[in-house]
């Protein structure tokens, strides 16, 4: 374990014990502009959440968020942080399945269903498995996960992998889904895909953040556009893009429920 992990406060769980870190994602789950860390681990270890405090490091919010109680009996592999119900708060989809082989222990649940942890606002979570339709498929030793809007309806869908089993495609039919906006960036001074760009979006007086990074979870890569759920907002009053080059680019009064392409413009500062 790197000494920097101890200095940042992410080396151990809040009980001071090491965990079997199976996969992680790094995005802003409480809309304060600082990307947070979601880990997954094995049963009885919980799925730790670390809130980004900026230069002061990270704080373990696993218990305060409800994740400790919800995830205690679960074994997970690939967490993906994204807003699946478009309410403006990023949720966490976790592929589940034990690291042990089938038949390795009578008291271990090797095959498991996937679970989505719904963000109720401000990093308070609710575990949805059967309620989200994820128990409709037989449990498996799930591993990777990737997200993207596969059918163009503005709701993020999920593709998962499992050992000795076909990939699973989970289409998102969240009935109360809100408005949305996706930004597909094209760098000119920065890298072509805009990887590393940070985006701030303001709608209905609320601010949220995302960044361009395709890699997530465990051995996975998601679709390109940066996705924002906007709830009841019918437009985004402001979008600010900070490109890796240092160029800052702004958009005003952006219509929602669409994918917009943004080409990097401006001079390197």
């Amino acid at each position: 374990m790197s000494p920097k992990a101890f200095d940042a406060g992410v080396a151990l769980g809040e009980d001071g014990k090491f965990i079997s870190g199976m996969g992680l994602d790094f995005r802003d789950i409480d809309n304060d502009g600082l990307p947070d860390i979601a880990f997954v681990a094995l049963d009885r270890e919980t799925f730790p959440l670390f809130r980004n405090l900026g230069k002061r490091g990270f704080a373990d919010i696993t218990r305060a968020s409800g994740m400790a109680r919800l995830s205690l009996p679960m074994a997970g592999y690939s967490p993906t942080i994204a807003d699946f119900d478009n309410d403006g708060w990023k949720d966490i989809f976790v592929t589940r399945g034990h690291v042990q082989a089938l038949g390795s222990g009578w008291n271990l649940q090797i095959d498991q269903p996937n679970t989505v942890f719904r963000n109720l606002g401000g990093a308070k979570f609710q575990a949805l498995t059967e309620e989200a339709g994820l128990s409709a498929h037989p449990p498996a030793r799930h591993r990777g996960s990737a997200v993207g809007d596969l059918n163009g309806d503005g709701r993020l869908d999920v593709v998962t992998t499992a050992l000795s089993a076909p990939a699973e495609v989970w289409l998102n039919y969240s009935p109360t889904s809100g408005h949305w906006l996706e930004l597909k960036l094209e760098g000119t001074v920065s890298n072509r895909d805009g990887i590393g760009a940070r985006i701030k979006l303001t709608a209905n007086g609320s601010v949220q953040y995302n960044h361009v990074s395709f890699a997530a979870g465990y051995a996975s890569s998601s679709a390109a556009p940066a996705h924002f759920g906007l709830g009841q907002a019918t437009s985004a009053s402001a979008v600010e893009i900070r490109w890796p080059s240092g160029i800052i680019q702004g958009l005003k009064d952006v219509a929602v429920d669409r994918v917009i392409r943004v080409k990097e413009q401006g001079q390197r500062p």
Side-chain angles (χ1 to χ4, degrees):
M1 181 67 70
S2 167
K4 291 184 178 180
F6 283 97
D7 293 341
V10 297
L12 305 172
E14 57 188 346
D15 58 2
K17 297 180 180 179
F18 287 103
I19 65 164
S20 305
M22 312 308 291
L24 64 86
D25 201 3
F26 182 61
R27 293 188 188 271
D28 183 11
I29 60 174
D30 55 3
N31 291 344
D32 66 351
L34 300 171
D36 310 294
I37 299 176
F39 274 104
V40 292
L42 299 182
D43 49 299
R44 296 185 292 278
E45 293 180 340
T46 76
F47 298 166
L49 283 179
F50 294 97
R51 182 172 181 264
N52 193 335
L53 303 177
K55 294 182 179 180
R56 294 178 292 152
F58 290 79
D60 191 325
I61 61 169
T62 313
R63 190 178 303 276
S65 68
M67 189 65 77
R69 173 181 56 84
L70 297 171
S71 65
L72 188 64
M74 302 177 180
Y77 245 90
S78 183
T80 302
I81 301 173
D83 188 352
F84 293 102
D85 57 359
N86 289 336
D87 67 348
W89 296 96
K90 296 180 186 64
D91 314 296
I92 306 174
F93 185 98
V94 175
T95 55
R96 291 171 50 199
H98 211 283
V99 69
Q100 298 292 348
L102 293 172
S104 60
W106 65 270
N107 61 338
L108 292 177
Q109 184 182 357
I110 307 300
D111 291 337
Q112 298 186 21
N114 299 317
T115 295
V116 60
F117 294 89
R118 185 186 179 213
N119 191 340
L120 302 176
K124 300 286 186 181
F125 289 91
Q126 171 189 20
L128 303 174
T129 302
E130 182 176 357
E131 301 90 337
L134 296 171
S135 60
H137 191 278
R141 287 177 290 169
H142 295 103
R143 293 299 184 257
S145 64
V147 303
D149 183 3
L150 301 180
N151 56 0
D153 67 353
R155 291 172 287 196
L156 290 174
D157 309 299
V158 184
V159 178
T160 68
T161 62
L163 297 182
S164 302
E168 300 170 9
V169 178
W170 296 93
L171 294 181
N172 183 351
Y173 293 116
S174 300
T176 57
S177 184
H179 294 291
W180 57 278
L181 184 67
E182 289 192 344
L183 287 85
K184 186 172 178 59
L185 305 189
E186 180 184 337
T188 53
V189 182
S190 303
N191 65 83
R192 182 173 177 82
D193 291 322
I195 296 172
R198 294 173 294 161
I199 305 170
K200 175 183 177 182
L201 182 147
T202 304
N204 271 4
S206 297
V207 180
Q208 56 177 297
Y209 303 81
N210 209 340
H211 60 268
V212 178
S213 175
F214 308 150
Y218 169 79
S220 303
S221 184
S222 291
H227 182 93
F228 289 87
L230 301 179
Q232 300 304 309
T234 55
S235 68
S237 58
V239 176
E240 179 186 89
I241 303 167
R242 292 181 175 265
W243 295 88
S245 64
I247 292 173
I248 301 175
Q249 193 169 346
L251 307 172
K252 297 291 186 181
D253 299 322
V254 181
V256 301
D257 296 339
R258 62 183 181 136
V259 180
I260 62 172
R261 296 178 179 269
V262 183
K263 191 171 184 177
E264 184 178 16
Q265 297 179 354
Q267 299 295 319
R268 190 192 301 268

